[in-house]
């Protein structure tokens, strides 16, 4: 039986992972499930799957979790450190599906323990790519991509030599406002930004898909995961969200990965890798779909893409600054303090300020230094948001 832990089990990726595991319970032993505020879901899943331990990120919800688990034999724990400890419990496969930089320390802890880490938490690679890669290498751990685009690239590269790759193209749906006039974007509401035309995901990544901050993060993720130069990474708007990525080789061939917009494909591929097994996802009827369309992204509409290029050029800890400023700006949009288009402005101002000061982004990439610069960038973003909100 394979030992499995799911970090961020109550979220969209976590629930899709549980869906796959619950279809073949005899194959898996669930070690740890972690969540945050949704205690009922966490406790239900932990009991149903017979987990060893369930952990909530919120210290003050421990009693509630204990009560929900009483009599089940499942242990309960709470707090950020307890999540790191849960991630370190011996397991063969760990899903990293916490949202935000909060996923970095637990994912890193699982890698230190030599686990196979299925990585949905793209923030880990954006903030600390070389730390994640080096840890995997030195601990003999395996890092598998779960983002649909990166799983697609990984699959297209199987049996190929990365030296033969000319370019990698990741697609973007364009999100909720792809067809709005640019001048109207400032009117985008939280409600509209929270509904994705094709994918069913957590609220934060859905809004990031509308601003293309998600795609900007994924460009950096591509660079960090596959080690390819930034100028070889392209973004293509593809409203149907059926082609997830394309890899262009030296002979001019483009290998495309085509599949339904269902994260159980990328999760299942990582779960069964290196095997490929049957998955409960829709089979595409391309004759019925008829046509697939593509267009170049307009950077005036989506400044996040330009900012991602600036981050890759700056290097060092600039990805952690970018991510922290983005997370804080997103909070500001969700709370109604700033408008949709102001998010990119906040991120740009924070990047300009922190990257220009010596000793910040050029510090060594350690968990402590990432946490420090994350804190600085959040403070700076808070100040900028206050100024904008007046
Ligand atoms: P979600 O909001 O649905 O779920 C997030 C999970 O993280 C929940 O279990 C929540 O309890 C937990 N969590 C939140 N804050 C936490 C904290 N401070 N400490 C510990 N746990 C915390 O998010 P999601 O859509 O499932 O996305 C999870 C990750 O996967 C993100 O990094 C996202 O970018 C990535 N991802 C998601 C999708 C998707 O289809 N949803 C696709 C590709 C990549
Ligand atoms: Mg993606």
């Amino acid at each position: 039986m394979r030992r499995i832990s799911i970090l961020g089990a109550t979220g969209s990726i976590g629930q899709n992972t549980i869906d796959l595991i619950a279809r073949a319970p005899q194959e898996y032993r669930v070690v740890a499930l972690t969540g945050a505020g949704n205690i009922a879901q966490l406790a239900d899943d932990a009991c149903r799957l017979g987990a060893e331990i369930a952990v909530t990120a919120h210290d003050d919800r421990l009693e509630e979790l204990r009560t929900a688990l009483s009599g089940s034999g499942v242990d309960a724990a709470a707090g950020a450190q307890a999540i790191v400890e849960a991630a370190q419990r011996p397991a063969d496969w760990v899903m990293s599906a916490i949202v935000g930089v909060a996923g970095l320390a637990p994912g890193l802890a699982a890698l230190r323990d030599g686990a196979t880490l299925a990585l949905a938490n793209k923030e880990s690679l954006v903030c600390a790519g070389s730390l994640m890669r080096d840890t995997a290498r030195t601990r003999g751990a395996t890092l598998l991509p779960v983002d649909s685009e990166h799983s697609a690239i990984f699959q297209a590269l199987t049996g190929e030599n990365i030296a033969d790759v000319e370019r990698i193209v990741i697609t973007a749906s364009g999100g909720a406002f792809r067809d709005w006039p640019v001048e109207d974007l400032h009117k985008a509401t939280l409600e509209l930004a929270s509904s994705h035309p094709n994918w069913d995901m957590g609220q934060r990544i859905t809004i990031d898909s509308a601003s293309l901050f998600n795609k900007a993060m994924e460009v950096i993720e591509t660079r960090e995961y596959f080690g390819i130069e930034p100028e070889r990474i392209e973004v293509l708007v593809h409203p149907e969200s059926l082609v997830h990525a394309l890899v262009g080789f030296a002979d001019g061939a483009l290998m495309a990965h085509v599949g339904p917009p269902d994260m159980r494909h990328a999760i299942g591929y990582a779960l069964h890798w290196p095997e490929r097994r049957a998955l409960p996802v829709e089979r595409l009827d391309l004759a019925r779909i008829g046509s697939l369309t593509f267009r170049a992204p307009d950077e005036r509409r989506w400044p996040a893409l330009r900012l991602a290029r600036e981050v890759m050029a700056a290097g060092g800890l600039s990805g952690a600054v970018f991510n922290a400023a983005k997370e804080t700006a997103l909070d500001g949009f969700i709370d109604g303090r700033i408008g949709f288009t102001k998010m990119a402005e906040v991120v740009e101002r924070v990047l300009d300020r922190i990257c220009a000061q010596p000793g910040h982004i050029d510090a060594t990439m350690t968990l402590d230094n990432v946490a420090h610069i994350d804190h600085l960038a959040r403070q700076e973003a808070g100040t900028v948001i206050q100024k904008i909100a007046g």
Side-chain angles (χ1 to χ4, degrees), residues 372-383:
H372 175 68
I373 204 157
D374 175 272
H375 178 71
L376 264 183
R378 279 172 204 270
Q379 265 184 338
E380 185 65 33
T383 309

Side-chain angles (χ1 to χ4, degrees), residues 301-380:
R301 174 186 294 275
W302 294 304
L305 296 178
R306 173 177 51 80
L307 297 176
R309 305 241 168 242
E310 289 175 14
V311 166
M312 290 186 292
L317 297 179
S318 62
V321 175
F322 178 72
N323 179 69
K326 192 274 295 176
E327 287 191 22
T328 313
L330 181 58
D331 290 336
F333 176 64
I334 293 174
D335 300 345
R337 280 175 293 148
I338 56 170
F340 182 77
T341 50
K342 293 291 175 191
M343 287 190 284
E345 193 180 316
V346 171
V347 175
E348 182 156 23
R349 280 163 69 173
V350 173
L351 275 172
D352 284 351
R353 214 178 146 94
I354 295 188
C355 296
Q357 293 167 11
H360 285 327
I361 64 165
D362 42 355
T364 315
M365 189 173 284
T366 62
L367 202 50
D368 282 349
N369 285 345
V370 171
H372 175 68
I373 204 157
D374 175 272
H375 178 71
L376 264 183
R378 279 172 204 270
Q379 265 184 338
E380 185 65 33

Side-chain angles (χ1 to χ4, degrees), residues 66-321:
R66 275 209 180 111
T67 308
L69 291 171
S70 67
S72 67
V74 181
D75 287 338
Q81 185 51 33
I83 292 185
V84 169
E85 283 162 19
Q88 274 167 328
R89 287 191 172 217
D92 302 300
W93 190 89
V94 178
M95 166 54 78
S96 165
I98 290 171
V99 64
V101 72
L104 173 60
L108 206 51
L111 285 178
R112 286 202 175 114
D113 218 50
T116 290
L117 188 72
L119 190 70
N121 178 267
K122 63 193 79 184
E123 296 87 345
S124 304
L125 282 182
V126 171
C127 295
S130 64
L131 184 57
M132 293 288 288
R133 278 196 319 270
D134 292 351
T135 307
R137 201 186 56 246
T138 55
R139 299 298 176 120
T142 304
L143 199 53
L144 295 173
V146 171
D147 221 341
S148 57
E149 299 75 4
H150 305 77
S151 173
I153 298 163
F154 187 75
Q155 293 179 50
L157 283 172
T158 301
E160 304 286 352
N161 186 345
I162 190 82
D164 295 332
V165 173
E166 246 175 23
R167 58 181 172 140
I168 291 180
V169 184
I170 60 175
T171 61
S173 70
F177 311 119
R178 64 185 171 218
D179 297 318
W180 282 32
V182 179
E183 319 62 84
D184 288 349
L185 282 178
H186 68 278
K187 297 185 205 149
T189 62
L190 177 61
E191 196 191 342
L192 289 173
S194 303
S195 105
H196 196 284
N198 307 331
W199 293 90
D200 180 13
M201 308 184 286
Q203 186 193 33
R204 298 182 74 86
I205 182 174
T206 301
I207 300 169
D208 283 349
S209 297
S211 61
L212 261 75
F213 265 112
N214 181 50
K215 209 50 54 182
M217 303 273 287
E218 290 180 355
V219 169
I220 303 172
E221 187 185 4
T222 303
R223 157 126 186 93
E224 293 298 335
Y225 193 92
F226 300 100
I228 187 169
E229 297 91 334
E231 41 307 342
R232 292 171 186 259
I233 305 169
E234 298 171 19
V235 174
L236 194 59
V237 176
H238 168 49
E240 295 85 3
S241 294
L242 298 177
V243 177
H244 303 302
L246 306 99
V247 179
F249 293 94
D251 60 357
L254 264 181
M255 301 288 278
H257 180 282
V258 188
D262 184 335
M263 283 309 292
R264 290 177 305 174
H265 179 80
I267 297 166
Y269 187 79
L271 181 61
H272 301 306
W273 180 86
E275 287 174 31
R276 196 185 274 281
R277 290 217 206 151
L279 292 171
V281 301
E282 181 198 343
R283 270 48 178 174
L284 290 181
D285 178 351
L286 289 174
R288 187 181 55 78
I289 292 161
S291 61
L292 299 175
T293 58
F294 302 95
R295 57 188 194 235
D298 169 1
E299 292 201 358
R300 206 166 55 95
R301 174 186 294 275
W302 294 304
L305 296 178
R306 173 177 51 80
L307 297 176
R309 305 241 168 242
E310 289 175 14
V311 166
M312 290 186 292
L317 297 179
S318 62
V321 175

Side-chain angles (χ1 to χ4, degrees), residues 5-124:
S5 288
I6 305 174
L7 313 172
T10 55
S12 162
I13 292 287
Q15 290 292 298
N16 276 310
T17 309
I18 288 177
D19 174 84
L20 292 179
I21 284 168
R23 287 165 193 263
Q26 70 288 356
E27 292 188 28
Y28 307 107
R29 203 174 91 214
V30 176
V31 178
L33 296 183
T34 82
N38 193 346
I39 303 292
Q41 182 77 59
L42 179 62
D44 270 8
D45 288 333
C47 294
R48 184 163 59 95
L49 300 171
E52 286 174 16
I53 189 168
V55 190
T56 165
H58 301 309
D59 295 287
D60 57 349
R61 307 286 296 272
L62 180 58
E63 274 320 303
E64 195 184 334
L65 181 60
R66 275 209 180 111
T67 308
L69 291 171
S70 67
S72 67
V74 181
D75 287 338
Q81 185 51 33
I83 292 185
V84 169
E85 283 162 19
Q88 274 167 328
R89 287 191 172 217
D92 302 300
W93 190 89
V94 178
M95 166 54 78
S96 165
I98 290 171
V99 64
V101 72
L104 173 60
L108 206 51
L111 285 178
R112 286 202 175 114
D113 218 50
T116 290
L117 188 72
L119 190 70
N121 178 267
K122 63 193 79 184
E123 296 87 345
S124 304

